[in-house]
Amino acid sequence: MNTADLGLPVDVPSTALFTDHYELTMLQAALKAGTAGRRSVFEVFTRRLPEGRRYGVVAGTGRVLDAVENFRFDEGLLAFLRERRVVDEETLSWLASYRFSGDVWGYPEGEVYFPGSPIMRVEGSFAECVLLETVILSILNHDSAIAAAASRMSSAAGDRPLIEMGARRTHELAAVAASRAAYVGGFASTSDLAAGFRYNIPTVGTAAHAFTLLHDSERDAFRAQVESLGRGTTLLVDTYDVTEAVRTAVDLAGPELGAVRIDSGDLLLVAHRVRQQLDELGATNTKIIVTSDLDEYAIASLAAAPVDAYGVGTQLVTGSGHPTCSMVYKLVARAESADPGAPLVPVAKKSMGGKTSLGGRKWAARRLDEEGVAEAEVVGTGPVPDELVDRQLLVQLIKGGEVLAREPLDAVRDRHAAARAGLPLSATQLSRGEPVLPTEYVQGGSGS
């Protein structure tokens, strides 16, 4: 389904300059050399997961599709390139009519991945594919890092909902992308209205400490909030004295009080005390929401606490210590000439220091054990073994420049939950360890 069918805005500014200078200088040189039209295959992958992570999460695919569609050089952008003498007139003329006309395959958004997984494959002429490197990597590296952190947090939270609250801890536009990625990873809502507007993510929020401090007393502040927002509102109870605040909150709102939020102190201890106090006051259905620099470890430590929901900010939007996935975009196969029928030749960088790549156009499949649980990520070139044909992971996202695979964000979120559930139980352990699935390589032909 196209996001336009969901009633959402889909227009974004041109992404043509979301790239590195050398992408254009390579293009100019390739045009002069006569190699720019050679059929090429680029792949996005990572050589390793962030330390301690058991799996990665593919996120940002929908944003990549938007970015490719909007990769256009208008007169203003061409004038900038001309003024700066980034490329020559022949190259500017070529850029003026740029439209990606190739094919893109990839892991469906929300799927999990492992070292070496061909997360996205971009096919077309060298010229049209090389220009997309930076924008694709910037989206996938950021969004997948946030989604992986969100997935770990949602796993630790179990059935308790998570609220994304990180907009004030990152760039204003990154905050919107982070909220989207968090929703993919299992968060239930966001405080960021821009994310709600752009992606139809549920938004929530009531009041901060400033609202309490504005009034002459905490009682006055609570009364104003209840009278305006109703008894089902959430009252922030740690501005002064938590015990007194809870007593005042129930006195004003009664047992219909929706929730109280705790934003400081020993959350485990305070949550138990507040739950006991609420029950004694007859507010047995009032929920407890905790915030305050939570990460997956803090959330896991509160599993036995009487907490009903978590609000997470800084640690989420910074990837909980891993703000990027170290994905790369590498040429893995190219034709020997610009002839459309020329066969593909596998190519790969040979390097010291762990940066060696595996050449060839790749497929990927996930092998399951007898119980239906994933046991290996199989990546190969050439023919796909018969027993893995039905387990292939890549789907076509763009064909001949036309987007095929837009889908509602809820479908992506559900896919991630199913993909994570199909991994071995150790995938959700927060202790440091190796990837939960090994990556096995099967080498054949170029896959042309």
Side-chain angles (χ1 to χ4, degrees):
M1 179 185 293
N2 191 301
T3 50
D5 296 332
L6 305 178
L8 303 178
V10 295
D11 293 335
V12 296
S14 169
T15 52
L17 294 189
F18 292 173
T19 191
D20 286 307
H21 186 115
Y22 78 173
E23 311 291 8
L24 300 187
T25 54
M26 281 193 288
L27 169 64
Q28 176 177 311
L31 287 170
K32 288 189 177 298
T35 52
R38 289 187 176 184
R39 187 161 63 106
S40 300
V41 179
F42 287 82
E43 288 177 351
V44 176
F45 62 94
T46 185
R47 297 182 177 92
R48 64 191 66 83
L49 297 180
E51 184 180 356
R53 296 290 166 89
R54 304 298 182 89
Y55 61 91
V57 180
V58 178
T61 307
R63 298 207 308 119
V64 167
L65 300 181
D66 287 344
V68 172
E69 275 196 333
N70 288 277
F71 205 94
R72 305 280 188 270
F73 291 86
D74 61 25
E75 286 302 319
L77 302 187
L78 294 171
F80 165 79
L81 296 176
R82 180 178 291 109
E83 178 186 346
R84 297 295 180 93
R85 299 185 178 182
V86 175
V87 289
D88 60 20
E89 286 297 325
E90 178 186 355
T91 306
L92 289 172
S93 177
W94 189 92
L95 291 173
S97 60
Y98 178 86
R99 300 291 186 275
F100 179 74
S101 64
D103 299 335
V104 177
W105 293 72
Y107 279 37
E109 190 166 15
E111 184 57 86
V112 296
Y113 70 87
F114 298 90
S117 296
I119 296 162
M120 186 169 286
R121 190 173 73 222
V122 182
E123 304 182 20
S125 69
F126 175 84
E128 62 180 339
C129 295
V130 74
L131 295 182
L132 299 176
E133 174 181 6
T134 302
V135 69
I136 287 177
L137 287 179
S138 65
I139 292 171
L140 293 181
N141 267 313
H142 174 269
D143 290 22
S144 297
I146 305 304
S151 179
R152 284 162 61 87
M153 292 174 188
S154 66
S155 177
D159 295 331
R160 298 171 178 176
L162 291 157
I163 307 164
E164 186 277 311
M165 304 171 64
R168 64 192 60 192
R169 295 291 188 259
T170 187
H171 184 279
E172 66 273 16
L173 297 182
V176 181
S179 181
R180 182 187 184 279
Y183 193 70
V184 170
F187 274 57
S189 57
T190 179
S191 66
D192 190 347
L193 289 174
F197 176 76
R198 178 69 180 86
Y199 297 114
N200 203 29
I201 300 170
T203 60
V204 296
T206 51
H209 294 103
F211 186 77
T212 300
L213 295 169
L214 167 69
H215 292 81
D216 295 335
S217 70
E218 191 167 55
R219 175 174 289 271
D220 288 345
F222 286 179
R223 180 184 294 109
Q225 185 174 330
V226 170
E227 289 179 352
S228 176
L229 302 178
R231 296 175 184 270
T233 191
T234 298
L235 295 174
L236 181 58
V237 296
D238 71 332
T239 305
Y240 303 118
D241 178 83
V242 173
T243 302
E244 182 61 29
V246 171
R247 183 181 299 112
T248 302
V250 177
D251 183 46
L252 289 169
E256 296 83 12
L257 176 62
V260 296
R261 178 162 75 96
I262 307 166
D263 189 51
S264 59
D266 184 334
L267 297 179
L268 179 63
L269 176 62
V270 176
H272 277 287
R273 288 177 175 173
V274 168
R275 181 74 271 161
Q276 180 180 352
Q277 185 182 7
L278 287 169
D279 292 345
E280 290 173 349
L281 293 171
T284 55
N285 293 322
T286 299
K287 298 183 183 301
I288 297 175
I289 300 171
V290 296
T291 52
S292 185
D293 292 328
L294 299 177
D295 62 9
E296 59 265 49
Y297 300 101
I299 291 168
S301 73
L302 293 167
V307 171
D308 297 286
Y310 306 92
V312 188
T314 303
Q315 292 301 318
L316 174 69
V317 298
T318 57
S320 196
H322 297 289
T324 181
C325 301
S326 299
M327 293 179 186
V328 294
Y329 182 96
K330 296 297 181 183
L331 181 65
V332 297
R334 52 88 175 169
E336 293 181 330
S337 71
D339 184 341
L344 290 174
V345 177
V347 294
K349 173 183 178 180
K350 294 183 179 180
S351 173
M352 303 290 287
K355 284 193 173 184
T356 300
S357 301
L358 179 66
R361 181 179 185 271
K362 298 174 197 66
W363 51 263
R366 191 161 297 147
R367 191 172 68 238
L368 309 182
D369 65 16
E370 295 178 355
E371 303 297 323
V373 178
E375 66 176 8
E377 194 87 340
V378 185
V379 176
T381 57
V384 182
D386 292 342
E387 66 274 15
L388 293 176
V389 168
D390 294 334
R391 300 298 309 166
Q392 293 187 76
L393 292 164
L394 277 78
V395 299
Q396 189 155 22
L397 304 172
I398 297 176
K399 182 177 182 179
E402 297 296 323
V403 173
L404 303 179
R406 282 202 175 89
E407 54 189 344
L409 203 55
D410 281 337
V412 175
R413 189 170 183 265
D414 291 344
R415 178 183 294 119
H416 174 63
R420 189 177 66 189
L423 297 176
L425 287 176
S426 58
T428 59
Q429 292 178 348
L430 297 181
S431 57
R432 295 187 181 279
E434 296 299 314
V436 71
L437 296 187
T439 303
E440 300 176 0
Y441 293 98
V442 178
Q443 289 187 267
S446 67
S448 61

